[in-house]
Structures are given as C-alpha cells and as structure tokens.
C-alpha cells in the first residue's frame, strides 16, 4: 500500500524558515517524480514544487521560486520542502504527492498544516 | 500559466447525473485530470488523461474532452459523492481549477 506521511508543520513567524518532510513507502520511491501541493484554508489547490526521480531537476511556480527548495533522499525514501522567507500567504495545508506517469498526482499524503503568523 | 475555469457549485439529486465542466485558457490536449476532495480529507485522483479511470475508481465516474473543454460526469450520483471536484492540467506547469462543490438538491 502506497503511503506518504508528512511531518514538520507548525506555527512560524513571517520571514522565518520551516522544513517539511515526507516519508514514502509501498512503492519504489526512486522511480517516481514527486511534488508538493498546498491548500490555503477554505481555498483551492496550488502546485508548489516538483522534483525528478533522480533529484537532478526541480520546478517551481513563480509564487515560491527563490524561497522554497524541494529535495529528496532516495536512500531514505524521503521528500523534503525547505521553506524560507515565509509569508502569511504561505499559510496552508501542504500535501506530499506522487506524480503518476500521466501528469496527474496519483497519491497524496494526509497533509501537514503550516501557519505563518506573528 | 494556464487558467482552468470551473463552475463553483452544482446541485444534483441522488440517482441523477452530475456533469462538471472545466475550460482551459489554452489547449492542454488530453493532459487533464480530475480529483475528488471530501471535507477534511486529501484529494483523490479519479480521472487521468482526460478520460482514463484511476485504479479502484467506480465506473460511475467518467471524463471526456480534449483541447480546452472538458467534462467530468458522475452517473448515477450517490450520497458518498458529495465533495468538491477539481480539474488539473499538466500540459505546462500544473494548475488546478477553483473546484466545483457538488451539493444535494
């Protein structure tokens, strides 16, 4: 059974940093691209970052480019999201997602809440 | 960015057909996917590649379309289907529609 378990969320002040982790199990982690997607309270879904299966390439939308860094440790089956210079608009539930081979996200973690507030 | 436009809500009776549309601001070919999100849960992939049923998803769910106009259908609607449904394109950097909340009439 595919499982994605996120940790590392919490309350953080604006301008500070936070690092999220996602431990994957139930599939061959290094065969898949992985991503982070977020959802602000009561709002829709927003893609945040993607990383190739080897970790050699990463992709971001303009809203987080230069502030967020996605990375992975294939030996530990773990995906990371380093979030720097956090803003109030980064407040959201962050989901770890597995990229299917067809462009959609076929598995999602339960999500971890990040609140940016003073 | 490719903008996806969905109607905000749809009211339907149990046992009837529900049809949700998603229009893209430019062609995404068949790179359209549909998700179900129930209250308090993570999204679940239902349809990928515009019309392909994801593993374990009941055949009551279906998708169609290509280019800029896509349709997601539930027929017949069951009580467990009450949720918000999102379209997502992967032609360029992923973007999602704002979601359509399916409600009971």
């Amino acid at each position: 059974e595919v499982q994605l378990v996120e940790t590392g969320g919490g309350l953080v002040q604006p301008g500070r940093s936070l690092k999220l982790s996602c431990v994957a199990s139930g599939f061959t982690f290094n065969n898949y691209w992985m991503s982070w997607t977020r959802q602000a309270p009561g709002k829709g879904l927003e893609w945040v970052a993607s990383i190739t299966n080897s970790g050699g390439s990463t992709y971001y939308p303009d809203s987080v480019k230069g502030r967020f860094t996605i990375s992975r440790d294939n030996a530990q089956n773990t995906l990371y999201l380093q979030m720097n210079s956090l803003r109030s608009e980064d407040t959201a539930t962050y989901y770890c997602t597995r990229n299917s081979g067809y462009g959609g996200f076929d598995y999602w973690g339960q999500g971890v809440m990040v609140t940016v507030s003073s | 960015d490719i903008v996806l436009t969905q109607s905000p809500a749809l009211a339907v009776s149990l046992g009837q057909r529900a049809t949700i549309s998603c229009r893209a601001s430019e062609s995404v070919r068949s790179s359209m996917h549909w998700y179900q999100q129930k209250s308090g849960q993570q999204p679940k992939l239902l349809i990928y590649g515009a019309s392909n049923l994801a593993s374990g998803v009941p055949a009551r769910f279906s998708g169609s379309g290509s280019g800029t106009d896509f349709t997601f259908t539930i027929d017949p609607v069951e009580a467990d289907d009450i949720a918000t449904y999102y379209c997502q394109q992967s032609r360029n950097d992923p973007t999602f529609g704002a979601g359509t909340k399916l409600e009971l009439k």
Side-chain angles (χ1 to χ4, degrees):
Chain A
E1 177 192 7
V2 172
Q3 285 197 316
L4 301 171
V5 179
E6 305 98 334
T7 57
L11 174 64
V12 61
Q13 293 179 328
R16 303 298 292 265
S17 299
L18 201 63
K19 187 172 185 176
L20 306 182
S21 300
C22 168
V23 175
S25 61
F27 65 101
T28 304
F29 185 66
N30 61 13
N31 282 354
Y32 289 86
W33 287 37
M34 298 292 294
S35 298
W36 290 94
T37 299
R38 68 184 179 184
Q39 186 171 36
K43 302 297 184 181
L45 300 165
E46 180 188 17
W47 166 70
V48 170
S50 293
I51 187 168
T52 57
N53 56 318
S54 67
S57 294
T58 57
Y59 306 88
Y60 308 92
D62 288 344
S63 58
V64 307
K65 195 174 294 182
R67 300 188 299 122
F68 289 12
T69 302
I70 188 172
S71 62
R72 64 192 296 162
D73 182 341
N74 284 344
Q76 299 294 323
N77 288 355
T78 303
L79 179 72
Y80 301 101
L81 185 68
Q82 176 68 46
M83 304 183 292
N84 298 333
S85 303
L86 282 161
R87 307 166 179 168
S88 58
E89 54 263 38
D90 296 318
T91 293
T93 296
Y94 285 74
Y95 294 103
C96 170
T97 59
R98 190 180 85 167
N99 293 41
S100 75
Y102 307 98
F105 304 113
D106 59 356
Y107 286 94
W108 297 61
Q110 291 277 19
V112 62
M113 185 67 199
V114 173
T115 302
V116 184
S117 174
S118 55
Chain B
D1 288 358
I2 296 177
V3 176
L4 302 180
T5 301
Q6 296 181 244
S7 298
L10 175 66
V12 63
S13 301
L14 293 178
Q16 299 302 303
R17 174 185 299 175
T19 301
I20 296 172
S21 63
C22 178
R23 174 163 289 178
S25 60
E26 61 185 86
S27 176
V28 300
R29 299 192 181 179
S30 62
S31 300
M32 183 64 75
H33 321 288
W34 291 91
Y35 301 84
Q36 175 193 66
Q37 186 177 33
K38 297 180 180 179
S39 180
Q41 296 185 16
Q42 70 270 52
K44 176 186 176 183
L45 178 68
L46 298 181
I47 300 289
Y48 65 92
S51 60
N52 300 287
L53 210 57
S55 177
V57 175
R60 304 184 290 105
F61 298 94
S62 63
S64 64
S66 65
T68 60
D69 291 297
F70 297 85
T71 300
F72 171 80
T73 301
I74 311 171
D75 189 12
V77 169
E78 298 184 358
D80 189 51
D81 300 334
I82 299 308
T84 299
Y85 292 85
Y86 294 92
C87 57
Q88 176 243 322
Q89 65 79 25
S90 58
R91 182 77 177 104
N92 291 346
D93 283 350
T95 54
F96 291 86
T100 298
K101 188 173 183 179
L102 187 65
E103 302 168 330
L104 282 180
K105 193 179 289 185

